[in-house]
Amino acid sequence: MSEENLKYVTIELSKKQVDTKNLYHSDKTNKDYARVLAPNDGTFFYPIKSIKVKQEDPNRVYFVRPEGTEIEIHYSKRKENVPDTAPNEEKYERYTRTWKIEDLKAAYDEQKKEYAENHGFYNCTVPTSWGRKFSSKGKDYISISIPVPAENSDKEIWCSLVIAAEQFKKSDRDDNMSYFGFPKKKLDTTEDYLVELRHSEKQNDGSYSNEKLYLSSAVLKECIDKAVKRSQVKDLFVSTEISDRLLRRFETKEGKPLYAISVPIYEDNEEKATFYEIVVPGERVSINSETNRARLTLFKNGPDGQVYTHIAKRSFDNGNGGYDTVSKKYSSEEIINLFDESKKKYRENHSDTDHSLEDEEAENAIENQVIENMEQSVNHRHSRR
């Protein structure tokens, strides 16, 4: 075959697969050879001068040979029923096998694939906004809330995943995304790597308990990818979880269901919230009767593409035998932020240092005093209607 018609095969290796410390010198060729690890526990010698280091990754090396090139691989197999005290030539069966370069490459590729399945990482990419940074005992962490299917149920549990802050890295492809990863398998085993998640469960007495859940990194990646895909579909919305005690359902004359929602607003740096009401269509609220929680979902923008706004109102006794009404205008994102601010204040004032590891989306417990104040405000408004 003429040189211009030759096809070349490139074999890429980890630098760890090449022994550069114990070179073998051939007087016949006057070349130094390195021992190279081959698939199936074999070895062969290759001129070290012909093994090149990849410019883009110094930990990877490669060599190139024409298709059809034959390489002799040496193998050593431990014989059965031979005592350890026996000489090596009696303990091991040594043999060779000749590989064509293209077949050797295929074997390396298969080995690499198998290694990746058992020793690689699952990388997960999520919107950067999903990561909430906090500190505990002098270290920075990132908490990420994700929905996980509940066991023996078609429902989902909102859980928090906590990783070290340095693991949460900005994506090179999208400034609005970040990524992190977990091993596929436990170190030096074929067992799945398990990731700890945390969530809150409401008890019969109304308190919340901290629960742990363990998922394999493979299952966790599926949950995260599903949640990201769903969020991309619902990118027009913002949402949060709130107590169902903040809701009042009613209907229009035409029978259309609506919800009046009490929104906690901290005015003039006050320590306690003042509650204003907004009204949203019934489909914007989803109530979980088992947990007494509700998910509020709001459009970011209106049909015209402009920021969607809500009028929040509060009525109060004007001291003259009547009531005055105060109104404030908020975007959907601002409404959600007001709820989140209220939850944050509760955690800061009524939690220990480790509580910040809990799921901010799943727990969402508002302090009792604020609830009582809200109920008084809501009951006052309802009593005068």
Side-chain angles (χ1 to χ4, degrees):
M1 182 182 294
S2 61
E3 188 171 342
E4 59 269 16
N5 293 326
L6 281 177
K7 294 182 179 179
Y8 287 87
V9 176
T10 299
I11 290 186
E12 183 180 322
L13 307 166
S14 165
K15 190 178 284 187
K16 294 179 180 179
Q17 292 174 276
V18 182
D19 181 4
T20 58
K21 295 182 179 179
N22 301 290
L23 300 180
Y24 163 71
H25 181 78
S26 171
D27 293 331
K28 183 177 180 180
T29 62
N30 197 31
K31 293 181 180 179
D32 289 328
Y33 290 80
R35 186 188 299 271
V36 181
L37 298 181
N40 304 320
D41 299 323
T43 60
F44 63 94
F45 291 93
Y46 202 84
I48 191 170
K49 188 175 181 179
S50 299
I51 301 177
K52 308 297 182 182
V53 179
K54 296 191 69 173
Q55 290 185 354
E56 61 272 25
D57 187 353
N59 294 316
R60 306 289 296 177
V61 297
Y62 68 95
F63 62 89
V64 181
R65 296 296 295 164
E67 192 176 81
T69 298
E70 294 183 343
I71 295 181
E72 192 174 77
I73 309 294
H74 302 270
Y75 297 93
S76 180
K77 182 180 179 181
R78 181 71 159 83
K79 294 179 181 180
E80 296 181 0
N81 302 321
V82 177
D84 292 339
T85 56
N88 284 341
E89 57 268 20
E90 295 180 14
K91 287 192 297 184
Y92 295 94
E93 176 187 356
R94 305 183 191 279
Y95 61 97
T96 61
R97 176 185 170 186
T98 301
W99 290 71
K100 287 190 175 182
I101 189 72
E102 54 269 29
D103 296 332
L104 184 59
K105 174 179 171 57
Y108 271 119
D109 290 345
E110 183 63 28
Q111 183 187 58
K112 184 178 179 180
K113 179 181 177 182
E114 182 179 342
Y115 183 87
E117 289 175 353
N118 294 323
H119 301 86
F121 276 74
Y122 286 115
N123 283 326
C124 305
T125 303
V126 301
T128 302
S129 59
W130 285 19
R132 298 173 184 262
K133 187 175 182 180
F134 68 94
S135 298
S136 177
K137 298 179 181 179
K139 295 183 179 180
D140 293 332
Y141 297 91
I142 296 292
S143 175
I144 304 167
S145 297
I146 56 170
V148 173
E151 188 175 1
N152 301 322
S153 173
D154 57 355
K155 297 180 180 179
E156 291 180 329
I157 304 172
W158 279 86
C159 297
S160 64
L161 164 68
V162 175
I163 58 176
E166 59 267 22
Q167 289 181 257
F168 197 63
K169 302 175 182 178
K170 282 288 189 70
S171 171
D172 294 332
R173 299 179 181 179
D174 190 336
D175 290 339
N176 297 319
M177 305 293 284
S178 293
Y179 69 94
F180 54 93
F182 293 102
K184 293 183 178 181
K185 302 291 181 181
K186 293 181 181 178
L187 185 63
D188 297 328
T189 73
T190 58
E191 296 180 24
D192 289 339
Y193 185 88
L194 298 180
V195 181
E196 180 184 287
L197 306 176
R198 296 191 182 188
H199 65 98
S200 295
E201 284 191 6
K202 189 173 184 180
Q203 306 301 301
N204 293 332
D205 61 2
S207 63
Y208 284 82
S209 65
N210 300 328
E211 303 294 336
K212 294 180 181 180
L213 176 68
Y214 293 90
L215 295 180
S216 70
S217 50
V219 172
L220 178 61
K221 178 174 172 57
E222 290 180 7
C223 293
I224 291 175
D225 289 347
K226 182 179 178 181
V228 171
K229 184 176 181 180
R230 189 164 60 185
S231 73
Q232 291 171 342
V233 173
K234 297 181 178 180
D235 194 40
L236 296 177
F237 301 94
V238 288
S239 68
T240 191
E241 191 175 305
I242 62 177
S243 167
D244 63 1
R245 285 187 276 179
L246 295 171
L247 307 176
R248 178 175 59 84
R249 189 182 186 278
F250 65 99
E251 294 182 354
T252 64
K253 293 180 180 180
E254 295 77 19
K256 180 180 179 181
L258 300 173
Y259 279 99
I261 300 176
S262 294
V263 182
I265 299 174
Y266 290 86
E267 298 180 302
D268 301 323
N269 296 319
E270 291 183 355
E271 291 299 320
K272 295 182 180 180
T274 301
F275 286 85
Y276 286 66
E277 275 192 348
I278 63 171
V279 176
V280 301
E283 61 268 22
R284 299 274 62 83
V285 175
S286 176
I287 300 177
N288 186 332
S289 58
E290 294 183 1
T291 63
N292 298 323
R293 312 297 295 167
R295 180 153 291 277
L296 172 63
T297 305
L298 304 174
F299 281 106
K300 284 185 179 181
N301 302 311
D304 57 358
Q306 299 299 311
V307 173
Y308 199 101
T309 57
H310 305 264
I311 303 300
K313 297 181 179 181
R314 179 177 70 86
S315 296
F316 60 94
D317 190 335
N318 60 19
N320 297 317
Y323 292 90
D324 290 338
T325 299
V326 178
S327 298
K328 294 177 179 287
K329 184 183 291 187
Y330 294 100
S331 70
S332 293
E333 290 184 279
E334 288 173 331
I335 292 291
I336 299 302
N337 288 339
L338 289 169
F339 281 110
D340 290 344
E341 180 187 0
S342 178
K343 299 166 196 174
K344 182 179 179 181
K345 285 181 177 293
Y346 168 67
R347 281 187 290 270
E348 289 176 347
N349 296 327
H350 297 77
S351 303
D352 58 33
T353 56
D354 288 338
H355 187 75
S356 57
L357 294 179
E358 291 195 45
D359 183 1
E360 292 188 14
E361 290 294 335
E363 98 182 289
N364 292 310
I366 302 176
E367 66 173 296
N368 291 334
Q369 187 174 7
V370 174
I371 288 290
E372 292 172 2
N373 291 342
M374 175 277 298
E375 289 180 321
Q376 293 174 6
S377 175
V378 173
N379 291 336
H380 173 71
R381 294 193 62 190
H382 295 175
S383 64
R384 65 184 180 81
R385 284 194 169 99

